[in-house]
Amino acid sequence: MEHFRKLGIIKPILKSIEDEKFEKPTEIQEKAIPLILAGQDVIAEAATGSGKTLAFASGIIEKTEKGKGIQTLVLTPTRELAQQVATAVSDFARYKPLKLVAVFGGVSINPQIEQLRTADVVIGTPGRILDHIGRRTLNLGRVNTLVLDEADRMLDMGFIDDVKKIVRECPLERQTLLFSATISADVARLARKYMKEPVKVAAETYVDPKKLTQVYYDVPDKSKFSLLVHLLEHEKAGLVMVFCNTRKNTDFVANNLKAVGINAMAIHGGLTQDRRDRVMKQFHSQKAYVLVCTDVAARGLDIPGVSHIYNYDIPKYSKDYIHRIGRTARAGKEGIAINILASRDYDSFRGVMKLKDVTITEERLPDVKKVGIRWKERPKTFRPRPGTYRR
Ligand code: AMP
C-alpha cells in the first residue's frame, strides 16, 4: 500500500485499493496520479488495461463532494465503457460514497433524468449527454473535472462535434484529463484547443510482447471459415475474441459457429443495449467462450482471461490491430493473436506488418475439413442507409 500512499491518494481510496488487492501502481498510475492530484491538465497515452480508470478516479473521488451538484463529467465513446467506468469508479469510491450516474443511449431517458437531479459524477456517451443538455435535464455549469476517456476512439466514431459542444458547456475554470490509446493529430488538436498547459504522460500497454505470439495463415477466400472452425476446435483456449470488420460479417461468423456447435455470440453496434448487456454477461460468466465482435463494440471492454484473438478480417486501419491484440497477453498471462488472411486482406495486412514492434510469423496450413456455410437472416437491427459502412 505504501506505493499507492506515496502517490498522494487519499485514505478512503487506499482502503478500496486494499480491498481490490492491487500490489503496486501500474505505470500510468505512477506517472499520472501525482499530476492529477496536483490539479494539472493531463494527456495520458494509455490503453484499456493500463489501469487508467483508477488514475482518473483518484482525482475525481478526492475532489468531488456529495450533494454539491455535478462536479465531474466523464465522456466515453461507448455505452459499455460508460457502464464499466461507472462500476470501477463506484468501487474505488466505496468508502467515500458519491452519487454516480451513467448516461447513455439505447435505454429509456426518464430514469436518467430523475437520477441526474442529485448526481455528483456523470459518466456518459456524447449523444445522450447532448440530448440531456438540450432538454435542460443536465447542467454542466458546476463541473470542475472533465475526463475524455478513449479520446481517439471518440473521434474515430465521429463524435468530434458533439464532444466540442459538450466541452463548451463546462466552465473554463476546470481540470481536463484526456486518456487515449494513441495520440493522433486530431486528438492533439482537441487537446490544444480545450486544455490548459497539459502535461503529457505515456505508459506502455499492459501487453507483454514476450507473452504474445502472433501468427498468420494465408488461405483461399472460401476456406477462411473452415480454418477458423478447425483452429477453434483444436487450440486449447480460454476466452476467445474473433474480430470482423463489419456488423454483417460479425453476425455471419457467430451464426455459423453456432450452427457447428461452437458456443459463440456476436456483439456489434447494431444490437440493442439490452442484447449487448446479455451478451457481455454470458461472456463474463464464461457461458459463451467465443465473442465475435467489431472493433467499435470491443473497444474499451475490460475482459480478463482472453487467451486467443482471431482476426477473421484484417483491420483496415493498422492501429486497430494494436487495439485488438491488446485484449490478450495482459497482466503477465500468455496470449496468441491469429490472423486469417485471404487475398482481400493483403493490402490491410501489409499495413499491419509495417507496425513497429509487431512480428507475425506464418503458420503452415493444417488439413482442414470443409465446413458448410449458411447465410442466415440477420437479427433485426437498425439498417444503415445503403452504401454506408458501419462497424
Ligand atoms: P483499466 O485500464 O482502468 O480498464 O484497468 C484494467 C484492469 O486493471 C482493471 O480490471 C483494474 O481493476 C485492474 N487494475 C487497475 N490498477 C491495477 C493495479 N495497480 N494492479 C493490478 N490491477 C490493476
Side-chain angles (χ1 to χ4, degrees):
M1 243 346 84
E2 197 44 38
H3 295 293
F4 286 101
R5 203 188 322 272
K6 274 195 194 143
L7 300 179
I9 297 175
I10 55 168
K11 264 205 185 117
I13 310 178
L14 288 174
K15 242 173 114 181
S16 68
I17 293 174
E18 212 160 4
D19 291 350
E20 299 286 335
K21 301 202 164 44
F22 294 167
E23 281 168 16
K24 56 179 189 0
T26 64
E27 190 181 355
I28 200 68
Q29 290 162 3
E30 193 96 48
K31 290 178 174 170
I33 290 175
L35 296 167
I36 293 172
L37 297 183
Q40 289 269 4
D41 278 9
V42 176
I43 301 176
E45 188 173 347
T48 288
S50 59
K52 65 190 168 66
T53 318
L54 174 59
F56 63 74
S58 60
I60 297 175
I61 299 167
E62 174 173 337
K63 259 212 296 200
T64 311
E65 288 182 50
K66 198 166 172 55
K68 298 240 164 110
I70 297 164
Q71 299 146 73
T72 300
L73 174 68
V74 182
L75 280 184
T76 69
T78 62
R79 315 162 203 190
E80 278 81 9
L81 187 61
Q83 281 173 315
Q84 195 176 293
V85 168
T87 309
V89 177
S90 71
D91 283 350
F92 294 128
R94 202 172 301 144
Y95 301 105
K96 183 185 170 185
L98 296 169
K99 173 125 183 217
L100 275 96
V101 177
V103 158
F104 44 79
V107 294
S108 164
I109 199 161
N110 291 330
Q112 294 177 354
I113 293 176
E114 193 47 44
Q115 287 182 316
L116 283 173
R117 287 189 222 278
T118 49
D120 305 309
V121 176
V122 174
I123 298 156
T125 51
R128 186 52 74 92
I129 296 273
L130 269 184
D131 196 351
H132 280 288
I133 293 173
R135 291 163 184 254
R136 300 189 188 281
T137 48
L138 172 61
N139 183 336
L140 300 178
R142 289 193 181 181
V143 166
N144 57 31
T145 312
L146 170 67
V147 181
L148 305 173
D149 197 10
E150 310 248 350
D152 51 352
R153 182 57 59 170
M154 217 134 49
L155 302 192
D156 285 352
M157 289 171 74
F159 287 135
I160 180 76
D161 291 333
D162 291 358
V163 170
K164 284 182 178 169
K165 276 186 209 149
I166 295 166
V167 175
R168 284 192 222 111
E169 292 289 322
C170 300
L172 281 174
E173 200 51 50
R174 60 160 197 267
Q175 183 181 24
T176 309
L177 308 172
L178 182 149
F179 288 79
S180 197
T182 50
I183 309 292
S184 63
D186 287 341
V187 171
R189 207 170 302 127
L190 186 76
R192 266 200 306 278
K193 206 163 160 106
Y194 296 110
M195 298 178 78
K196 276 193 287 267
E197 297 170 31
V199 184
K200 240 177 111 175
V201 292
E204 294 298 313
T205 63
Y206 230 34
V207 180
D208 180 351
K210 289 192 280 311
K211 305 258 179 189
L212 176 69
T213 312
Q214 298 173 70
V215 300
Y216 73 89
Y217 293 90
D218 190 2
V219 289
D221 243 330
K222 54 182 184 333
S223 306
K224 266 196 172 197
F225 185 74
S226 303
L227 176 64
L228 177 66
V229 171
H230 176 94
L231 295 173
L232 286 174
E233 283 174 345
H234 290 81
E235 285 261 341
K236 201 170 151 24
L239 292 177
V240 173
M241 292 173 89
V242 177
F243 281 90
C244 296
N245 288 354
T246 61
R247 295 176 181 183
K248 195 169 159 220
N249 266 8
T250 308
D251 284 333
F252 163 79
V253 170
N255 287 337
N256 279 285
L257 288 177
K258 273 185 265 178
V260 295
I262 292 174
N263 205 350
M265 298 197 85
I267 190 162
H268 58 66
L271 305 176
T272 61
Q273 183 58 35
D274 195 39
R275 173 85 192 142
R276 285 159 72 151
D277 288 346
R278 266 186 290 138
V279 170
M280 288 320 298
K281 223 177 250 159
Q282 296 232 14
F283 195 63
H284 275 296
S285 64
Q286 315 214 340
K287 285 205 179 89
Y289 83 99
V290 180
L291 187 69
V292 189
C293 52
T294 57
D295 293 284
V296 168
R299 177 67 179 191
L301 299 176
D302 176 37
I303 308 168
V306 175
S307 66
H308 286 56
I309 297 291
Y310 285 91
N311 287 321
Y312 187 79
D313 296 320
I314 306 301
K316 285 205 164 43
Y317 306 104
S318 333
K319 70 174 185 223
D320 283 336
Y321 182 82
I322 300 292
H323 290 309
R324 290 182 183 185
I325 62 171
R327 318 316 313 237
T328 183
R330 282 166 150 195
K333 297 215 175 72
E334 306 273 331
I336 179 163
I338 299 171
N339 296 283
I340 301 182
L341 62 135
S343 57
R344 63 182 151 99
D345 299 296
Y346 288 168
D347 271 354
S348 306
F349 196 61
R350 262 190 287 276
V352 170
M353 291 294 259
K354 278 193 210 137
L355 288 166
K356 211 173 88 202
D357 297 332
V358 165
T359 314
I360 312 175
T361 50
E362 181 165 13
E363 282 284 316
R364 272 199 21 209
L365 272 182
D367 268 339
V368 174
K369 194 172 80 207
K370 183 109 190 81
V371 181
I373 291 174
R374 286 197 270 173
W375 284 95
K376 263 197 198 165
E377 180 71 15
R378 285 176 69 191
K380 268 210 164 40
T381 56
F382 170 70
R383 291 203 182 262
R385 272 175 281 124
T388 47
Y389 172 73
R390 298 179 69 95
R391 296 196 290 172

